[in-house]
Amino acid sequence: DQQVKQNSPSLSVQEGRISILNCDYTNSMFDYFLWYKKYPAEGPTFLISISSIKDKNEDGRFTVFLNKSAKHLSLHIVPSQPGDSAVYFCAAIPGGGADGLTFGKGTHLIIQP
Amino acid sequence: SAVISQKPSRDICQRGTSLTIQCQVDSQVTMMFWYRQQPGQSLTLIATANQGSEATYESGFVIDKFPISRPNLTFSTLTVSNMSPEDSSIYLCSARQGYEQYFGPGTRLTVT
């Protein structure tokens, strides 16, 4: 049973446009959500996070939105740049923070020139 | 943020042997974890490395196969024992500060 779902295996976006990556979760105990970017042959790089008490968090070109009632979050990248081409993982932590992250399967973002 | 290094970065091992992966964090952290990413898959938590006590393993992972040590707040090791080709994977060390979690570059293991 997959508790964190990223239903789009890949997404292609033109350079300069907005990239929107989506993530759904089923476990209502999740309290904190993180997005990671991963290049081949490297470890995941932390991008941005959001607590369940907020509905938006922004950091430069990256904004994460959380809709707790829908158990849905999204990562917006504006404007998209060629270096953004990577696999993006959504991850979640239950309340208390004592457990490891639960990851989605990832979305491969391709930025086209 | 925490900077994490892993050794070795990659290895090719024979079936039936064991490999120990080392993980070093540049600052003291409360929690360290070990993950596996099999080809084309997402990251799966193997265990939480507890300082001074036995690791906490996730369902499907056992101490005899993946013994873990964490002698202090900045260092941990994961051993992959009695390897088979199914253990070919990327093994990732991770450390948490507050609610933010950081990853090492990974160890790419190929078992022949």
Side-chain angles (χ1 to χ4, degrees):
Chain A
D1 175 34
Q2 209 180 344
Q3 298 185 59
V4 177
K5 301 178 185 178
Q6 293 176 259
N7 292 321
S8 299
S10 66
L11 175 67
S12 184
V13 174
Q14 264 198 318
E15 182 179 356
R17 307 292 289 266
I18 182 171
S19 295
I20 300 176
L21 297 103
N22 293 304
C23 178
D24 298 291
Y25 61 96
T26 58
N27 188 344
S28 57
M29 298 300 291
F30 286 143
D31 197 40
Y32 202 80
F33 303 89
L34 305 89
W35 283 94
Y36 289 86
K37 172 182 179 180
K38 189 178 184 302
Y39 294 119
E42 293 184 12
T45 301
F46 170 74
L47 279 177
I48 192 169
S49 60
I50 188 167
S51 164
S52 62
I53 63 172
K54 295 187 175 182
D55 55 17
K56 177 182 175 182
N57 188 26
E58 191 171 352
D59 183 0
R61 295 187 299 115
F62 303 94
T63 303
V64 56
F65 296 92
L66 175 62
N67 182 333
K68 200 174 175 182
S69 61
K71 294 192 176 70
H72 176 84
L73 60 155
S74 60
L75 174 68
H76 293 212
I77 306 173
V78 183
S80 300
Q81 299 174 354
D84 295 331
S85 294
V87 177
Y88 289 78
F89 289 97
C90 172
I93 306 174
D99 296 329
L101 295 172
T102 300
F103 280 86
K105 290 192 171 183
T107 296
H108 185 195
L109 177 63
I110 301 161
I111 305 301
Q112 295 183 334
Chain B
S1 65
V3 178
I4 302 171
S5 58
Q6 283 184 235
K7 288 194 297 188
S9 59
R10 59 176 61 228
D11 208 340
I12 300 173
C13 300
Q14 288 201 338
R15 181 196 299 260
T17 63
S18 298
L19 175 73
T20 295
I21 304 167
Q22 297 181 4
C23 175
Q24 181 72 54
V25 188
D26 70 341
S27 58
Q28 292 187 348
V29 292
T30 51
M31 304 186 78
M32 293 181 72
F33 305 90
W34 286 96
Y35 288 80
R36 178 173 77 180
Q37 185 182 23
Q38 294 180 302
Q41 302 295 314
S42 185
L43 285 78
T44 301
L45 179 64
I46 297 171
T48 303
N50 300 311
Q51 195 256 331
S53 65
E54 193 171 285
T56 304
Y57 290 84
E58 297 298 301
S59 175
F61 298 97
V62 295
I63 187 171
D64 290 346
K65 176 67 176 177
F66 298 101
I68 288 171
S69 78
R70 189 177 172 196
N72 57 51
L73 293 176
T74 63
F75 185 80
S76 178
T77 66
L78 168 74
T79 299
V80 186
S81 304
N82 188 25
M83 287 184 282
S84 67
E86 293 70 36
D87 295 321
S88 296
S89 187
I90 299 173
Y91 291 85
L92 294 142
C93 175
S94 181
R96 185 175 295 169
Q97 289 182 328
Y99 271 96
E100 294 181 357
Q101 192 161 327
Y102 302 92
F103 285 81
T107 296
R108 182 178 293 272
L109 171 62
T110 303
V111 183
T112 60

